[in-house]
Amino acid sequence: MSGEGNVIAWHRRHVLGWRVDMLAAALLGIAAVVWGAWLTREVLEFERQRIVSVSLQSLVESYVAQTARAGVTDDEAERRTKAYLQAVEAAIAGLSDGQTIVLVSEATLGRSVPDVTPAVEAAVARAMTPGPAKGARDGR
């Protein structure tokens, strides 16, 4: 009988003018609403993300073929290769806007994501072209 008396005594306690059991229920309800709002925001943020792929293999193969046809010296080929790789890195970094996830197409299964390799190739070509208007940003 003393256990039942403790339960009744617990229900009769008050904190800030509220019964303890009612206060606990209200706090749990508020916590559930806050958690639900946070979860909804996270799901909506995930849905806004875009996933694209880039074929690094085709970019490198294309560059190697162009360099082989150019007939340049080893030092010139090394300098061009460094510049090309920097341009590729800048073009791929230009795709990332906080909402875009860039995958290497050789690592993806299937063709369920858009391939933006041509846009990266165009951006790299613009970056490698000598002149005043160099840029590695693509037109997406």
Side-chain angles (χ1 to χ4, degrees):
M1 186 80 123
S2 66
E4 186 178 310
N6 288 340
V7 171
I8 293 171
W10 184 78
H11 284 292
R12 289 185 186 156
R13 290 188 179 236
H14 287 79
V15 175
L16 300 173
W18 288 62
R19 282 189 6 211
V20 172
D21 59 340
M22 293 297 208
L23 184 60
L27 290 176
L28 282 173
I30 291 170
V33 168
V34 168
W35 178 75
W38 172 81
L39 184 61
T40 300
R41 183 181 59 92
E42 291 296 314
V43 167
L44 292 175
E45 186 69 27
F46 181 73
E47 287 178 352
R48 278 185 240 147
Q49 290 184 339
R50 183 179 119 175
I51 300 175
V52 297
S53 69
V54 173
S55 176
L56 292 180
Q57 179 180 351
S58 68
L59 290 172
V60 170
E61 285 174 355
S62 172
Y63 172 74
V64 169
Q66 287 175 356
T67 303
R69 286 190 301 264
V72 295
T73 65
D74 289 345
D75 290 336
E76 178 66 16
E78 182 178 343
R79 185 188 65 72
R80 285 184 180 186
T81 300
K82 285 181 182 178
Y84 182 81
L85 293 176
Q86 288 175 345
V88 168
E89 186 176 327
I92 291 174
L95 292 172
S96 180
D97 57 3
Q99 298 294 324
T100 303
I101 298 170
V102 181
L103 301 175
V104 177
S105 65
E106 289 79 12
T108 61
L109 299 174
R111 299 282 178 206
S112 60
V113 296
D115 184 11
V116 295
T117 304
V120 172
E121 283 180 318
V124 170
R126 284 192 305 273
M128 296 296 291
T129 302
K134 278 184 150 183
R137 186 93 173 142
D138 70 310
R140 266 186 276 189

